[in-house]
Amino acid sequence: MKELGVILRKNIRDYGMFIALAVIFVLFTILTNGTFISPYNISSLINQTGYIAVLATGMTLVIIVRQIDLSVGFLSGFLGAIAAILMMNYHVPAILAILIVLALGAVIGLFFGVLIAKVGIPAFVVTLAGMISFHGLLLFATQAGGTINITDKFFNEIGNGFIPSFGKIGGFAVSTLVIGLIGIVLFIYFQFKARNTKKKYNFEVLPMPFFIAKIAFIVALIAALILVLAMNNGISWTFVIVFVVVSIFTVILNKTAFGRHIYAVGGNPEAAELSGINVANVLIYTFVIMETLTALSGILFASRMQSASPTAGTGFELLAIAGAFIGGCSANGGVGKVTGSLIGSLVMVSLTNGMDLMGLGSSIQYVIQGIILVLAVVFDILTRRSQAVG
Amino acid sequence: MKDAEYILEMDNIGKTFPGVKALDGVNFKVKRGEIHCLVGENGAGKSTLMKILSGVYPSGTFTGRIILNSTEQHFRSIEDSEKAGIAIIHQELALIPELTIYENIFLGHEIKKGPFIDWNETIIKAKEVLKRIRVNINPETKVKDVGVGVQQLVEIGKALSKDVKLLILDEPTAALSEVDCDNLLQILRELKKQGITCIMISHKLKEVISIADTITVLRDGKTITSIDATKRKVEEKEIIKYMVGREIEDIYPKREGVKYGDVCFELKNWTAFDPSKGREILHNINFKVHKGEIVGIAGLMGAGRTEMALSIFGNTKHYIIKGELYVNGVKKHLSSPEKAIKEKIVYVTEDRKGNGLVLIQDIKFNIPLSNLKQLLKGLFIDQHEEVNAANKFFNELNIKARSIEQVVGTLSGGNQQKVSVAKGLFTLPDLLILDEPTRGIDVGAKFEIYTIMNELVKRGMSIIMISSELPEILGMSDRIYVMSNGTMTGVIDAKDATEEKIMEMATA
């Protein structure tokens, strides 16, 4: 039992977000008489998380390198509007419009990165200026009709469509069940493989019973999620995109030299520089990635809404930043995981979704989101302090 | 009331961190008005003991009793211990560079008239304090504009202004030049005459012997001995024996048959201008290193030694440089650390915590950081290679840690230094620049670093060693360059060198 206490205390930072998520789920299920947990709502919850999770992925990198990006909300709204205008007013094919918008995001990121890393303007200032400017540009772009409706079928499928189901068994989509099963098997295989490698190198590993319990818990979660989704329409395209994005950046952060450089620059920029790392370039690439992902987020949101509106992206930056902090990014930099930020985003979006279902107005929602952001950072600082003291 | 002989008695102190017994029944008694030196290897428990005394670890988190002026104390915070007249000055100075000396001295206990600060009174009081510590500098000078020696004194002044009775100094001379050290020790002697009791932690045994009335040695969280140095002369060897539990015959291991080869690195007419300071910091330096040679660079603090190293190693401070740099006879332009590393030159910093290591990451993250290319298989870092590489240095340099997954920030100074050196060595350099390689580490670890250096030059590597400790310079170098005020004032073969000759050139 004592062992369990030690393990819990050591990993409280990692488990905290799951506890938060569980509390939110239970709470809203009660408050909404079960509507919150219904297959339809869970499915749309996943899709709503999509465009925030993509932002939070980029924000993870930005926060690790000790920066911040306040512009992502309105930039995502603005780039979504650009995609809409390209397709609707200029009849650009959807694929091409998407590529143009992604490239535009990358260019804006390059511009931000150069201002921050080469000219030396604090990211806070650059992105605050960006936030204001993009808000203006968004209003300007959507001014003519207020809202630009998107009628492109392919484009709208991204945020609303599902992978082909190949029929249903007892009301469950077949493809989703199969993918879920493969996913669970692969997950278990890789967990055991990683544990064995660690043991081979004499690294610390979780004691076997805890390891099994952890895996059983996560597998149960995945299984429950898959069953709920399969009961509805199956896995959505948004789900697929988020999965791919999170996987790519998890691999980049953990397995590539660039990922190491990001952690090094965030952990100690002076040491990184004297280690022969080009700190300025690391910062620039980070902002290119952030703003490209912002473009993707804008596309996902416009597609889901099937339109671009003057209020698109409002408050996204707060959700993404809060998601990253809840997911374990440190306010001091150098620490953070993309998978954590994914869970953190889910926490924030569940909160919004639940409050929407309860019929709470957006005014009170903003207040609660703000409080949650501060609480997440307080929790982060307190847990790190208790770990530092031992 | 007659004061007791001992101002402080720490009785049977024990402190446990999860998995480690840091202090185990330590007894520590300090006489009123003495200078008491506390020595021991890194990890012996000196700092922990002082943190308990100053209330950093509050009453209840440790066992044993603290008796100050015959009354048992239960400090719950640093504030409590300050009220009782205890002040601690840490190795890392707690001054605000952008504020003036007088603002710093009274920071946190400002002199007030009503709700407002009485600046005139503050300056007058600051002048009085400065007089006590013999600092003849205008108190309106900003702290960033005075040298580290004066900054150290300002810290002491800050303590004095709080009416301190017991002053604790944690390695006060670690970052000071010889002249500043002597000055500081002189001032401590004077404070003693004024009735202030002083506990000093130091690794520099020579100064310990010169100043201490009592020397207490800790080892592995236990009090080994307490020597009354007023009664007899204490030998360095004796202290070392108590510290490490065995005798170290010669702290500078000798190399057999030193032979060095051709010139592998050379600076010609090397001049650097620092735009941030608006002045020239290196003047017309000529300097060479042979293959397989240890070149010592001696000099006082601020002589420009670190600046020279940084100007060679990729010029990260963006000096405007004139002059020529040759690697193996070929003229090169090293415009970034990356390029310097490519030319097989690497710099191991004097400030391992500040700009050497990523403290929140583990050993295996830090060691290969300067040369990740070597671990790549295609696009990805090969975990197997990574672990092997880290383990190789872990074993070769005898790094003491649970495993290569231990976070670097939790290692002792000596082990951090070894990781820092390993990180340099992982780039497979031909020329290794070590800046103060043994600063703030204990005798045992020093000896190991020296042994590693000798092993490296035997394999054909060249080493530039910047050091402020003359015995180290004399003991380790083959040739010694001396710098003063940004100029090379001399070069001398180690066998002809003496401390006097070097000091003469260093103060030229």
Side-chain angles (χ1 to χ4, degrees), chain A residues 236-321:
Chain A
S236 65
W237 287 116
T238 303
F239 185 102
V240 173
I241 291 171
V242 170
F243 181 81
V244 170
V245 167
V246 168
S247 305
I248 288 176
F249 283 97
T250 299
V251 170
I252 286 181
L253 281 182
N254 293 326
K255 289 277 177 187
T256 67
F258 175 64
R260 290 302 172 84
H261 291 172
I262 285 185
Y263 282 116
V265 168
N268 185 343
E270 287 88 15
E273 183 171 33
L274 283 181
S275 302
I277 295 170
N278 191 328
V279 176
N281 281 356
V282 170
L283 292 180
I284 291 172
Y285 293 142
T286 303
F287 276 93
V288 168
I289 289 169
M290 173 80 255
E291 263 47 85
T292 309
L293 288 174
T294 304
L296 179 59
S297 156
I299 291 163
L300 287 173
F301 187 68
S303 163
R304 176 148 183 82
M305 296 292 124
Q306 311 194 3
S307 67
S309 78
T311 56
T314 310
F316 283 12
E317 66 283 337
L318 182 117
L319 292 172
I321 292 168

Side-chain angles (χ1 to χ4, degrees), chain A residues 197-198 200-201 203-204 251 255-257 260-261 263-264 267-268 270-271 273-277 333-335 389-390, chain B residues 18 313 316 337-338 341 353-358 360-361 365 369-370 372 379-381 383-384 386-387 404-405 423:
Chain A
T197 325
K198 282 202 152 199
K200 196 174 82 191
Y201 297 132
F203 293 163
E204 258 180 71
V251 170
K255 289 277 177 187
T256 67
R260 290 302 172 84
H261 291 172
Y263 282 116
N268 185 343
E270 287 88 15
E273 183 171 33
L274 283 181
S275 302
I277 295 170
V335 179
V389 174
Chain B
F313 188 68
T316 47
E338 203 180 348
I341 290 169
K353 285 187 180 167
N355 57 22
L357 299 169
V358 182
I360 56 173
Q361 296 285 356
F365 179 97
L369 190 59
S370 294
L372 287 171
L379 274 176
F380 303 114
I381 290 170
Q383 195 191 3
H384 190 67
E386 178 188 16
V387 171
I404 53 172
E405 283 210 311
K423 177 166 161 264

Side-chain angles (χ1 to χ4, degrees), chain A residues 135-158:
Chain A
H135 190 193
L137 285 170
L138 170 62
L139 293 177
F140 182 74
T142 54
Q143 184 181 43
T147 298
I148 306 163
N149 287 314
I150 301 171
T151 52
D152 189 289
K153 263 214 173 111
F154 172 80
F155 188 84
N156 289 343
E157 190 74 356
I158 299 171

